[in-house]
């Protein structure tokens, strides 16, 4: 992947010494000042200001630009200047018309034609919604990017054919070799037959339905699931449509808007997703459900795995489906448990914790990885974008998925479905998410205010799956009113195998430091058999060591934003050292991420821009890293605000920039120039020193 000529010298010149840089900067650098005040190192640290060495300081800019301002400046400077008119916002009809015109464009080449180079290879022929004009595409295709195709690098045939942006580096491959892609490195793809059953509301959930009936929370109408008496047999065994537990088909849809490894053909008219049922139909169906079994909620998990209910018409074992036969079920304490003790656990991270990023962290020594949080309702509706969050790379030897739901029925059915269709080691239920969109639906940290619903959700989930169930919570909903310590023992009784406690309340979001004293209190109140993990502000191996020395009973620490800022943190912890990593080494990390991203999202134009988007989202965190060699006091703390400073070379200074324009510049070094209509805005504003959002 090429670099702009003007930055090549800056990137490659790593021989410049710090002494020479100091001589250039000392003449214009002021003493250690902040906002015009000369402060000592101790005073800077007390104000959460990073103590950068004096020789690297520079005067602050007249107006400190923000990422959004920098993004607007970049957009204004790079946008076409052919017209000075103010562009009006386009209507939905205009946008729809443009999308249809784009589909008819020769650049929107059929994936089958692109892969094989033969027009006859498309099974839809004239009915295909893609273009089949191969010669027109070749005359209009964008120029190749510098570098090697990621699939060629991995010694696999590229499935994107002529549409690959590295087409010139392709090696000759026969069509038979393309079958090797089916044995790819990613699993947990959403199967089309499963998706159609979910779309048509024909999927059966025998385990969760039996558990929900025992708990007395069946038929609340939170999921679009038909009663078993009304359902017709979809498959001979009356269960899911697949016998194996690993979903190994490739699917072209992704959460992040790009193609997967195998571009899939468009569905025919018969495979369109059916319209949702009206609310009146759902209410009418729910009102007919038998709710006479609601006898209370004091049901233990051990009771759920035994058929102890007494109905007016007893059901014999011959009438029970195999999945609900109590003799075949695991006792909650007999399940295979995951030993998290001492393992480096990469936290599930929304948006940035995607599969390519997890591969980077695995290379640096992460032991446990977890997919991005997926919403239960979206999974049960068969949304391919949500199922893409469950994908697993073959290098993730200890892998789990995280789900989030507001009601016991949605959580239980999602857990049963994931346990049946995916290859994983554990399922984590997020009961601490602070995002407004999640909390307003009654999920995430909102469950901390509804312990009865929380109890039913955990019990139903643990009884619906054979995989271990873990739970993640915050200290409480409102700051100063902690309640996780009072729930920790009950969570174990409800069936969870492990609990992660984030040392902040929902109201705090990510402001202030995590309360590790309270996390230690929760650990000491937990039963000896329950693994308790801490989460919050682990940013060096000293932080890791301190938490275990303060509380030896702690099982492990979950690493979140620390890994986003410096993914080599896992290596630092394992090797017990502060790594003064060079800018060249950091650039190599970004190159690996881009290669992994092109493998995951695709090496065509769409995949390149999707990879660029998520690279920029990651760069909105990495700029916060201050090199070890620039600090008066080591290590850096996660809540330190950096002053204006130079670095040891131009590339390192560029990586430390808080300007989105400079992040885009770095992306152009790896993925070529951005399109003319390119726009970018960071999704997250989770700086540790941001103001708290009360909620």
């Amino acid at each position: 992947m090429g670099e702009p000529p003007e930055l090549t010298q800056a990137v490659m010149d790593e021989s410049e010494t710090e002494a020479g840089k100091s001589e250039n900067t000392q003449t214009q650098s002021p003493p250690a000042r902040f906002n015009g005040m000369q402060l000592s190192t101790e005073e800077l640290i007390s104000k959460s200001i990073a103590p950068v060495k004096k020789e690297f300081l520079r005067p602050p800019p007249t107006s400190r630009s923000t990422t959004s301002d920098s993004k607007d400046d970049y957009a204004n400077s790079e946008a076409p200047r052919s017209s000075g008119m103010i562009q009006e916002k386009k209507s939905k009809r205009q946008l729809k018309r443009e999308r249809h015109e784009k589909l008819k464009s020769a650049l929107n080449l059929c994936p089958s034609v692109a892969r094989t180079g033969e027009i006859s290879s498309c099974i839809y022929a004239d009915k295909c919604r893609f273009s089949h004009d191969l010669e027109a595409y070749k005359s209009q295709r964008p120029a190749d990017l510098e570098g090697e195709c990621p699939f060629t690098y991995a010694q696999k045939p590229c499935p994107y054919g002529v549409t690959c942006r590295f087409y010139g580096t392709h090696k000759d491959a026969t069509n038979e070799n393309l079958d090797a892609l089916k044995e790819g490195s990613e699993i947990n793809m959403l199967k089309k037959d499963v998706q159609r059953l979910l779309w048509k509301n024909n999927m059966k959930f025998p385990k969760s339905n039996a558990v929900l009936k025992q708990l007395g929370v069946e038929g609340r109408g939170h999921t679009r699931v038909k009663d078993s008496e009304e359902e017709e047999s979809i498959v001979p065994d009356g269960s899911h449509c697949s016998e194996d537990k690993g979903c190994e088909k490739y699917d072209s849809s992704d959460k992040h808007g790009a193609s997967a490894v195998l571009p899939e053909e468009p569905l025919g008219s018969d495979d369109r997703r059916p319209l949702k049922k009206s609310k009146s139909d759902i209410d009418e169906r729910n009102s007919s459900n038998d709710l006479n079994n609601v006898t209370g909620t004091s049901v233990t998990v051990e009771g759920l795995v035994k058929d102890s209910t007494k109905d007016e018409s007893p059901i014999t074992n011959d009438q029970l489906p195999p999945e609900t036969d109590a003799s075949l079920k695991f006792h909650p304490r007999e399940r295979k448990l995951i030993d998290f003790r001492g393992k480096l656990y990469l936290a599930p991270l929304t948006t940035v914790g995607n599969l390519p990023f997890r591969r980077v962290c695995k290379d640096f020594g992460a032991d446990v990885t977890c997919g991005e949080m997926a919403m239960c309702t979206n999974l049960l509706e068969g949304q391919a974008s949500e199922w893409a969050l469950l994908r697993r790379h073959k290098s993730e030897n200890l892998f789990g998925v995280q789900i989030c739901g507001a009601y016991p029925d949605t959580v239980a059915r999602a857990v049963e479905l994931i346990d049946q269709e995916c290859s994983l080691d554990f399922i984590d239920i997020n009961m601490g998410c602070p995002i407004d969109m999640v909390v307003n639906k009654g999920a995430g940290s909102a469950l901390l205010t509804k312990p009865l619903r929380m109890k039913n959700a955990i019990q139903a989930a643990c009884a619906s799956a054979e995989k271990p169930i873990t739970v993640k919570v915050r200290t409480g909903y409102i700051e100063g009113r902690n309640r996780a310590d009072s729930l920790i023992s009950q969570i174990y009784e409800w069936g969870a195998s492990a609990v992660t406690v984030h040392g902040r309340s929902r109201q705090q979001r990510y402001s202030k430091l995590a309360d590790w004293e309270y996390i230690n209190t929760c650990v000491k109140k937990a039963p000896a058999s329950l693994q308790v993990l801490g989460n919050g502000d682990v940013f060096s191996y000293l932080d890791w060591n301190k938490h275990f020395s303060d509380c030896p009973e702690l099982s492990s620490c979950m690493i979140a934003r620390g890994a986003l800022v410096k993914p080599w943190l896992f290596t630092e912890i394992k090797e017990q050292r502060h790594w003064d990593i060079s800018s060249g080494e950091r650039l190599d990390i970004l190159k690996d991420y881009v290669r992994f991203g092109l493998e995951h999202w695709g090496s065509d134009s769409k995949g390149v821009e999707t990879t660029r988007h998520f690279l920029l989202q990651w760069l909105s965190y990495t700029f916060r890293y201050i090199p070890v060699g620039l600090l008066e006091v080591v290590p850096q703390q996660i809540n330190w605000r950096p002053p204006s400073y130079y670095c040891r070379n131009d590339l390192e200074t560029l990586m430390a920039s808080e300007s989105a324009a400079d992040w885009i510049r770095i992306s152009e070094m790896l993925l070529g120039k951005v399109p003319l209509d390119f726009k970018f805005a960071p999704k997250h504003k989770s700086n540790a020193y941001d103001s708290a959002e009360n909620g």
Side-chain angles (χ1 to χ4, degrees), residues 389-604:
L389 303 178
L390 311 183
R391 292 185 183 179
R392 175 184 189 175
H393 190 262
K394 65 180 182 181
S395 64
E396 299 180 273
N397 54 327
L398 190 53
F399 174 77
V401 299
Q402 187 181 74
I403 61 173
C404 185
Y407 299 97
D409 55 351
T410 56
V411 173
R413 285 161 182 153
V415 165
E416 180 182 356
L417 184 61
I418 293 171
D419 185 57
Q420 173 72 20
E421 300 297 335
C422 297
S423 172
L424 43 84
D425 299 295
F426 63 94
I427 301 174
D428 185 64
I429 304 176
N430 190 337
M431 296 185 173
C433 179
I435 300 175
D436 292 337
M437 181 180 66
V438 174
V439 172
N440 293 340
K441 293 179 180 179
S445 55
L447 290 172
L448 293 172
T449 65
K450 302 178 184 298
L452 183 58
R453 187 186 296 178
M454 184 179 183
K455 169 186 177 180
N456 290 334
I458 296 175
Q459 284 185 333
C462 293
S464 300
E466 298 178 2
K467 299 292 189 301
I469 303 297
T470 63
V471 178
K472 185 178 181 183
V473 298
R474 286 192 169 227
T475 60
Y477 190 83
I478 300 176
E479 187 175 0
R481 299 182 183 177
N482 297 334
R483 65 178 311 168
D485 59 324
S486 63
L487 295 171
I488 198 85
S489 297
Q490 297 177 8
I491 291 176
Y492 173 73
E493 295 172 358
W494 299 335
S497 302
V499 178
T500 302
V501 181
H502 186 168
R504 294 182 177 89
S505 65
R506 188 263 170 177
Q507 189 177 15
Q508 281 181 263
R509 301 294 179 95
Y510 295 93
S511 64
K512 302 182 182 179
L513 292 175
D515 188 353
W516 275 91
E517 291 184 4
Y518 182 74
I519 294 176
N520 296 340
T521 300
C522 295
V523 174
K524 294 174 181 177
K525 288 187 177 182
S529 302
L530 178 65
Q531 300 182 75
V532 181
L533 296 82
N535 177 216
D537 304 340
V538 178
F539 204 49
S540 68
Y541 77 90
L542 295 179
D543 295 333
W544 175 275
N545 295 346
K546 183 178 186 303
H547 298 324
F548 283 97
S549 62
D550 292 345
C551 185
E553 299 88 354
L554 184 70
S555 296
S556 185
C557 296
M558 187 179 282
I559 302 173
R561 282 183 299 161
L564 291 178
V565 178
K566 53 175 191 179
W568 56 92
L569 174 59
F570 300 100
T571 300
E572 290 186 342
I573 294 174
K574 287 194 171 182
E575 299 181 359
Q576 294 287 293
R577 67 184 177 100
H578 300 300
W579 186 354
D580 190 7
I581 189 169
S582 68
S583 58
E585 291 173 312
R586 292 171 65 188
L587 186 65
D588 289 338
I589 296 173
L590 298 180
K591 289 180 179 179
D592 288 340
Y593 177 84
V594 167
R595 178 164 52 85
F596 297 154
L598 293 174
E599 266 190 76
H600 179 62
W601 291 302
S603 58
D604 57 348

Side-chain angles (χ1 to χ4, degrees), residues 600-654:
H600 179 62
W601 291 302
S603 58
D604 57 348
S605 295
K606 187 176 182 181
V608 167
E609 293 311 312
T610 303
T611 303
R612 187 195 307 276
H613 170 79
F614 287 99
L615 172 65
L616 292 171
Q617 295 287 358
W618 185 26
L619 291 175
S620 69
Y621 287 93
T622 58
F623 83 94
R624 304 174 192 177
Y625 170 72
I626 304 174
V628 173
L630 274 62
L631 291 171
E632 292 279 5
V633 177
V634 176
Q636 176 186 355
Q637 300 298 314
I638 201 168
N639 66 324
W640 281 359
R641 291 174 290 171
S644 298
Y645 67 96
Y646 296 108
C647 291
R648 293 167 290 192
N649 55 59
D650 291 340
L651 177 60
E652 198 170 62
T653 303
L654 183 67

Side-chain angles (χ1 to χ4, degrees), residues 682-694:
K683 183 175 181 180
H684 291 284
K685 296 180 180 179
S686 58
N687 300 55
Y689 45 85
D690 279 350
S691 60
E693 298 180 35
N694 297 330

Side-chain angles (χ1 to χ4, degrees), residues 95-106:
L95 295 174
K96 184 177 180 180
R97 186 184 304 115
E98 290 179 0
R99 286 196 299 269
H100 282 289
E101 291 176 355
K102 190 175 182 180
L103 286 175
K104 298 177 182 178
S105 171

Side-chain angles (χ1 to χ4, degrees), residues 313-325:
S313 55
I315 301 177
T316 63
N317 288 335
D318 297 336
Q319 295 173 309
L320 285 173
E323 292 80 357
T324 57
D325 189 353

